[in-house]
Structure formats: C-alpha cells, structure tokens
Amino acid sequence: DPTQSHPYSVLGAAALSSRQVAEAEAAFRKAVALDPASARAQVALGYYFWSTRRIQEAEATFRQALQLDPTSELVNRILATLMLLTNRVPDAEPYLQALARLQPTTHGLTLADYYLAQHRQADSERVLRSLAADGTIATQVSPASVGNVTA
C-alpha cells in the first residue's frame, strides 16, 4: 500500500544493508512524508543518518521523534547515547532522567552511575534512596554504600 509508511522504512533498511545509500534515503524520507506524525518513521530516518555519519541530521530527526513520542524509551535511549558518543555528556542527563522515570528498574541505576561519574554523589544517593524506598533495588545496595565507591 503506497499510503503506509512502514513498508518504505523496511525498503530503506534493505537498501541500506545492500549499500544502496541513495535508495535508502529516498525510502526513509518517503516513509516520513507519508506519515510525518510517526515517531517510528522518524527513528528509521534517524538511524539512516547516523549510519551514514550525518550526526547533526540524525540528532535533529531523533529530537523530532521525541517530540512525537516523549515517552519513548527507545528515542530517549538513542539521544542519551548520541550525546555520550559525541562527548556532550551533560546533554545526556535529561534523556537519562527521562529513562529513569519511564523504567526505574532498568534505568535508575544508570542514572545513579551517571551522577557518580559526574562527581555528583548527593544526586546519586537521592536516586538510590528513591529506588530503595519503592523496592526497585534490594536493600543490600544501600545509598550509604555509594560513599565507598571511587570514581
């Protein structure tokens, strides 16, 4: 069906894996044009940009996807990773915070680790206390033990 975006994303992925870069970009752009409100289509186009080392375009596209779906764990994770890989560590924080809100069990400890790496022990302890208080982490991992970790 030429009015659905997902098949074009699939075609784009196939073209990209065959190193048909121009065809891949055209297919990903067609997917977005058919459904500009689709975060999924934006993510596919963003991955294309990332894989072709067009990092600024990838970031803009992923930010658009996040505007379309602010609670997307995938897009927040992608943007956090992109910030870290491009040495913009402080810019990763809002995405790491969003991930911790969305999936405390999975991402809360990552946020606490991030704070420790940034020499923000009080913030790390706050996150760990919150995770311990709601039972997300076992009480054997106490916030007091954070002071024993050296970064």
Side-chain angles (χ1 to χ4, degrees), residues 118-132:
Q118 297 303 303
H119 307 288
R120 294 168 52 189
Q121 183 172 339
D123 288 328
S124 182
E125 287 179 11
R126 178 184 44 79
V127 170
L128 291 174
R129 285 183 204 289
S130 174
L131 293 172

PDB file of all heavy atoms in Angstrom, residues 118-132:
ATOM      1  N   GLN A 118      29.870  11.999  37.216  1.00  0.00           N
ATOM      2  CA  GLN A 118      29.926  13.455  37.154  1.00  0.00           C
ATOM      3  C   GLN A 118      30.297  14.073  38.514  1.00  0.00           C
ATOM      4  O   GLN A 118      30.196  15.285  38.685  1.00  0.00           O
ATOM      5  CB  GLN A 118      28.572  14.014  36.689  1.00  0.00           C
ATOM      6  CG  GLN A 118      28.187  13.591  35.289  1.00  0.00           C
ATOM      7  CD  GLN A 118      29.233  13.974  34.273  1.00  0.00           C
ATOM      8  OE1 GLN A 118      29.584  15.134  34.136  1.00  0.00           O
ATOM      9  NE2 GLN A 118      29.774  12.989  33.576  1.00  0.00           N
ATOM     10  N   HIS A 119      30.689  13.220  39.451  1.00  0.00           N
ATOM     11  CA  HIS A 119      31.087  13.648  40.803  1.00  0.00           C
ATOM     12  C   HIS A 119      29.934  14.346  41.527  1.00  0.00           C
ATOM     13  O   HIS A 119      30.126  15.335  42.222  1.00  0.00           O
ATOM     14  CB  HIS A 119      32.332  14.548  40.754  1.00  0.00           C
ATOM     15  CG  HIS A 119      33.456  13.921  40.002  1.00  0.00           C
ATOM     16  ND1 HIS A 119      34.181  12.862  40.503  1.00  0.00           N
ATOM     17  CD2 HIS A 119      33.949  14.162  38.759  1.00  0.00           C
ATOM     18  CE1 HIS A 119      35.082  12.480  39.619  1.00  0.00           C
ATOM     19  NE2 HIS A 119      34.961  13.254  38.550  1.00  0.00           N
ATOM     20  N   ARG A 120      28.742  13.790  41.341  1.00  0.00           N
ATOM     21  CA  ARG A 120      27.541  14.330  41.980  1.00  0.00           C
ATOM     22  C   ARG A 120      26.964  13.269  42.909  1.00  0.00           C
ATOM     23  O   ARG A 120      25.903  12.697  42.651  1.00  0.00           O
ATOM     24  CB  ARG A 120      26.542  14.764  40.913  1.00  0.00           C
ATOM     25  CG  ARG A 120      27.074  15.946  40.097  1.00  0.00           C
ATOM     26  CD  ARG A 120      26.277  16.242  38.861  1.00  0.00           C
ATOM     27  NE  ARG A 120      24.845  16.395  39.100  1.00  0.00           N
ATOM     28  CZ  ARG A 120      23.962  16.495  38.097  1.00  0.00           C
ATOM     29  NH1 ARG A 120      24.368  16.473  36.841  1.00  0.00           N
ATOM     30  NH2 ARG A 120      22.683  16.631  38.365  1.00  0.00           N
ATOM     31  N   GLN A 121      27.699  13.010  43.973  1.00  0.00           N
ATOM     32  CA  GLN A 121      27.331  11.939  44.886  1.00  0.00           C
ATOM     33  C   GLN A 121      25.956  12.156  45.506  1.00  0.00           C
ATOM     34  O   GLN A 121      25.183  11.207  45.638  1.00  0.00           O
ATOM     35  CB  GLN A 121      28.379  11.796  45.993  1.00  0.00           C
ATOM     36  CG  GLN A 121      28.073  10.634  46.923  1.00  0.00           C
ATOM     37  CD  GLN A 121      29.195  10.381  47.896  1.00  0.00           C
ATOM     38  OE1 GLN A 121      30.316  10.770  47.670  1.00  0.00           O
ATOM     39  NE2 GLN A 121      28.873   9.708  48.980  1.00  0.00           N
ATOM     40  N   ALA A 122      25.618  13.378  45.872  1.00  0.00           N
ATOM     41  CA  ALA A 122      24.319  13.631  46.501  1.00  0.00           C
ATOM     42  C   ALA A 122      23.170  13.265  45.552  1.00  0.00           C
ATOM     43  O   ALA A 122      22.166  12.684  45.979  1.00  0.00           O
ATOM     44  CB  ALA A 122      24.212  15.093  46.933  1.00  0.00           C
ATOM     45  N   ASP A 123      23.321  13.587  44.275  1.00  0.00           N
ATOM     46  CA  ASP A 123      22.281  13.218  43.299  1.00  0.00           C
ATOM     47  C   ASP A 123      22.201  11.704  43.146  1.00  0.00           C
ATOM     48  O   ASP A 123      21.111  11.133  43.053  1.00  0.00           O
ATOM     49  CB  ASP A 123      22.554  13.870  41.947  1.00  0.00           C
ATOM     50  CG  ASP A 123      22.304  15.357  41.951  1.00  0.00           C
ATOM     51  OD1 ASP A 123      21.408  15.830  42.687  1.00  0.00           O
ATOM     52  OD2 ASP A 123      23.004  16.077  41.205  1.00  0.00           O
ATOM     53  N   SER A 124      23.349  11.049  43.125  1.00  0.00           N
ATOM     54  CA  SER A 124      23.372   9.603  43.019  1.00  0.00           C
ATOM     55  C   SER A 124      22.681   8.970  44.234  1.00  0.00           C
ATOM     56  O   SER A 124      21.864   8.055  44.095  1.00  0.00           O
ATOM     57  CB  SER A 124      24.811   9.092  42.900  1.00  0.00           C
ATOM     58  OG  SER A 124      24.814   7.694  42.760  1.00  0.00           O
ATOM     59  N   GLU A 125      22.997   9.479  45.394  1.00  0.00           N
ATOM     60  CA  GLU A 125      22.368   8.956  46.623  1.00  0.00           C
ATOM     61  C   GLU A 125      20.863   9.176  46.594  1.00  0.00           C
ATOM     62  O   GLU A 125      20.099   8.293  46.998  1.00  0.00           O
ATOM     63  CB  GLU A 125      22.978   9.626  47.852  1.00  0.00           C
ATOM     64  CG  GLU A 125      24.380   9.153  48.161  1.00  0.00           C
ATOM     65  CD  GLU A 125      24.984   9.859  49.369  1.00  0.00           C
ATOM     66  OE1 GLU A 125      24.263  10.566  50.095  1.00  0.00           O
ATOM     67  OE2 GLU A 125      26.199   9.694  49.575  1.00  0.00           O
ATOM     68  N   ARG A 126      20.419  10.321  46.118  1.00  0.00           N
ATOM     69  CA  ARG A 126      18.982  10.611  46.035  1.00  0.00           C
ATOM     70  C   ARG A 126      18.282   9.583  45.152  1.00  0.00           C
ATOM     71  O   ARG A 126      17.233   9.039  45.507  1.00  0.00           O
ATOM     72  CB  ARG A 126      18.766  12.023  45.494  1.00  0.00           C
ATOM     73  CG  ARG A 126      17.301  12.407  45.329  1.00  0.00           C
ATOM     74  CD  ARG A 126      17.121  13.783  44.701  1.00  0.00           C
ATOM     75  NE  ARG A 126      17.973  14.057  43.559  1.00  0.00           N
ATOM     76  CZ  ARG A 126      17.758  13.612  42.315  1.00  0.00           C
ATOM     77  NH1 ARG A 126      16.720  12.855  42.061  1.00  0.00           N
ATOM     78  NH2 ARG A 126      18.585  13.929  41.327  1.00  0.00           N
ATOM     79  N   VAL A 127      18.875   9.277  44.005  1.00  0.00           N
ATOM     80  CA  VAL A 127      18.286   8.290  43.097  1.00  0.00           C
ATOM     81  C   VAL A 127      18.264   6.911  43.764  1.00  0.00           C
ATOM     82  O   VAL A 127      17.245   6.214  43.735  1.00  0.00           O
ATOM     83  CB  VAL A 127      19.052   8.242  41.754  1.00  0.00           C
ATOM     84  CG1 VAL A 127      18.607   7.058  40.903  1.00  0.00           C
ATOM     85  CG2 VAL A 127      18.879   9.548  40.997  1.00  0.00           C
ATOM     86  N   LEU A 128      19.370   6.535  44.377  1.00  0.00           N
ATOM     87  CA  LEU A 128      19.436   5.222  45.024  1.00  0.00           C
ATOM     88  C   LEU A 128      18.447   5.120  46.184  1.00  0.00           C
ATOM     89  O   LEU A 128      17.803   4.081  46.361  1.00  0.00           O
ATOM     90  CB  LEU A 128      20.855   4.933  45.498  1.00  0.00           C
ATOM     91  CG  LEU A 128      21.874   4.700  44.384  1.00  0.00           C
ATOM     92  CD1 LEU A 128      23.273   4.578  44.959  1.00  0.00           C
ATOM     93  CD2 LEU A 128      21.518   3.471  43.566  1.00  0.00           C
ATOM     94  N   ARG A 129      18.313   6.175  46.955  1.00  0.00           N
ATOM     95  CA  ARG A 129      17.326   6.164  48.055  1.00  0.00           C
ATOM     96  C   ARG A 129      15.908   5.989  47.509  1.00  0.00           C
ATOM     97  O   ARG A 129      15.110   5.226  48.056  1.00  0.00           O
ATOM     98  CB  ARG A 129      17.411   7.452  48.866  1.00  0.00           C
ATOM     99  CG  ARG A 129      18.590   7.540  49.779  1.00  0.00           C
ATOM    100  CD  ARG A 129      18.546   8.833  50.616  1.00  0.00           C
ATOM    101  NE  ARG A 129      19.848   9.219  51.065  1.00  0.00           N
ATOM    102  CZ  ARG A 129      20.563   8.593  51.997  1.00  0.00           C
ATOM    103  NH1 ARG A 129      20.070   7.542  52.587  1.00  0.00           N
ATOM    104  NH2 ARG A 129      21.757   9.027  52.329  1.00  0.00           N
ATOM    105  N   SER A 130      15.622   6.669  46.427  1.00  0.00           N
ATOM    106  CA  SER A 130      14.302   6.546  45.806  1.00  0.00           C
ATOM    107  C   SER A 130      14.062   5.119  45.312  1.00  0.00           C
ATOM    108  O   SER A 130      12.987   4.556  45.517  1.00  0.00           O
ATOM    109  CB  SER A 130      14.187   7.540  44.655  1.00  0.00           C
ATOM    110  OG  SER A 130      12.992   7.342  43.953  1.00  0.00           O
ATOM    111  N   LEU A 131      15.064   4.544  44.680  1.00  0.00           N
ATOM    112  CA  LEU A 131      14.936   3.170  44.186  1.00  0.00           C
ATOM    113  C   LEU A 131      14.784   2.175  45.330  1.00  0.00           C
ATOM    114  O   LEU A 131      14.008   1.225  45.237  1.00  0.00           O
ATOM    115  CB  LEU A 131      16.140   2.809  43.325  1.00  0.00           C
ATOM    116  CG  LEU A 131      16.276   3.567  42.005  1.00  0.00           C
ATOM    117  CD1 LEU A 131      17.612   3.257  41.353  1.00  0.00           C
ATOM    118  CD2 LEU A 131      15.123   3.269  41.074  1.00  0.00           C
ATOM    119  N   ALA A 132      15.502   2.407  46.424  1.00  0.00           N
ATOM    120  CA  ALA A 132      15.398   1.518  47.588  1.00  0.00           C
ATOM    121  C   ALA A 132      14.044   1.690  48.270  1.00  0.00           C
ATOM    122  O   ALA A 132      13.436   0.707  48.703  1.00  0.00           O
ATOM    123  CB  ALA A 132      16.533   1.800  48.561  1.00  0.00           C
TER     124      ALA A 132
END
